[in-house]
Amino acid sequence: MKCIVYKGKEHMALEDHPMPTIQDPADVLLRVTMSAICGSDLHAYNEDRAGQGQVMGHEFIGIVEEVGPRVERLKPGDRVVLPFGLGCGACFYCKRGWHPQCPHYQRFGLGSLPGGQAQYVRVPMADANAVHLPPELPDETAVLLSDILCTGYFCAEQGSIRPGDYVAVVGCGPVGMMAQMAAHLFGPALVIAIDTVPYRLDTARYLWGAVPLNAAEPSLRERVLALTEGRGADVVLEAVGTEGRGLDTAFEVVRPAGTISMVGVPTVDTYTYPLRKAYTLDLTYKVGRCPARRYIEQLIPLLQTGRIHPERIITHVLPLDQAPEGYRIFASREPGVMKVLLKP
Ligand code: NAD
Ligand code: ZN
């Protein structure tokens, strides 16, 4: 089967690998119908990391091809989405919706499992993780449930936005876009979008009516104060990660006794969290990996009723063969590129 393999910095390769097979009675084999490139994949793309030789991709949907003997909820032909990380479904944490804390947690792609930027993928603990997709939901929309739609929603929800709040979103990549869209579900007075890439700022304004602010221009804090009655943002949603130092930007624009909710991945070990500043500000700081399994079922009805339109951020649907080019353009953040999907 065809798949996309991590070879090191700026090098993703199309390879032919043996078909995955059922290895455990709780496995299913999935035929992938759509996958996507995530900003998290770029952490590996942008520099040499561990995991060379692994099949990429943790955002995908597909059709069940084969089921192991202990699988009960799924049968061949079922169309399902998987969260980007899998839990056992039965432990203390899974039962409370915190799958990333499950002792059996496994992630696709550069986690422990071969990923879904491939024609086929083996899915362990399938009953506990696969969610059936309503037939009317297009592949392009459904694939966003595997990660970024859930992650953007999680970021907004853990920000505890209240009606009338001033919300600032740091980062206007696909995750920041989803966080902005989700923020509106909680009734903010205003959403401020912060990035350094003009096309991404324009997209935030065009898609979600955000007030765009370029972090590369001087006095970002002054501009945020001017939009927030001189106080700063009540809630800051961070969707950058430590490489871009998005948390510094978040601290720059948050108001005293405000909240920072961070989903950007800490990939830098040496980052200094401004503890004294947080203390002095009476700040609430929340951070974490999204328990996507918890949100998939909650968000499907909002897609069905047209309450949210995450598919508006999709700019490219490329054949899987063209994934190396897809990575190049997504990493370049060039104008016209936001979310890149891959069709096997
Ligand atoms: P992306 O790289 O496309 O977007 C990041 C954006 O941040 C870019 O537009 C960039 O220009 C902007 N940026 C960089 N530094 C900035 C700064 N200091 N201030 C403002 N903007 C800045 O990535 P993405 O797909 O949108 O993902 C964003 C982050 O979310 C990544 O770290 C990704 O790994 C992470 N992520 C986390 C989870 C989770 O479960 N917590 C899930 C998915 C993705
Ligand atoms: Zn992702």
Side-chain angles (χ1 to χ4, degrees), residues 37-43 58-59 84 147-148 151 154 169-177 194-197 200 215 238-247 249 262-266 288-291 330 333 338-339:
I37 304 176
C38 180
S40 299
D41 298 331
L42 295 183
H43 302 309
H58 56 266
E59 305 186 353
F84 63 89
D147 180 349
I148 61 163
T151 300
F154 167 66
V169 180
V170 182
C172 296
V175 174
M177 289 289 141
I194 302 171
D195 204 292
T196 53
V197 179
R200 295 195 157 194
E238 194 278 3
V240 175
T242 48
E243 279 154 85
R245 302 200 69 83
L247 189 59
T249 310
M262 172 164 174
V263 291
V265 171
R289 184 171 273 152
C290 173
F330 182 48
R333 295 176 183 152
M338 183 59 77
K339 187 67 178 174

Side-chain angles (χ1 to χ4, degrees), residues 109-195:
L110 292 180
S112 44
L113 298 167
Q117 290 170 12
Q119 287 180 299
Y120 294 88
V121 62
R122 180 181 77 89
V123 179
M125 306 184 284
D127 271 342
N129 290 286
V131 178
H132 287 99
L133 287 166
E136 71 275 14
L137 218 59
D139 283 359
E140 288 79 1
T141 309
V143 74
L144 303 175
L145 283 163
S146 56
D147 180 349
I148 61 163
L149 171 54
C150 294
T151 300
Y153 185 86
F154 167 66
C155 187
E157 190 190 68
Q158 90 178 343
S160 304
I161 300 164
R162 284 187 289 199
D165 274 353
Y166 295 114
V167 176
V169 180
V170 182
C172 296
V175 174
M177 289 289 141
M178 296 293 93
Q180 289 171 41
M181 183 189 72
H184 282 289
L185 296 168
F186 300 93
L190 184 72
V191 175
I192 300 165
I194 302 171
D195 204 292

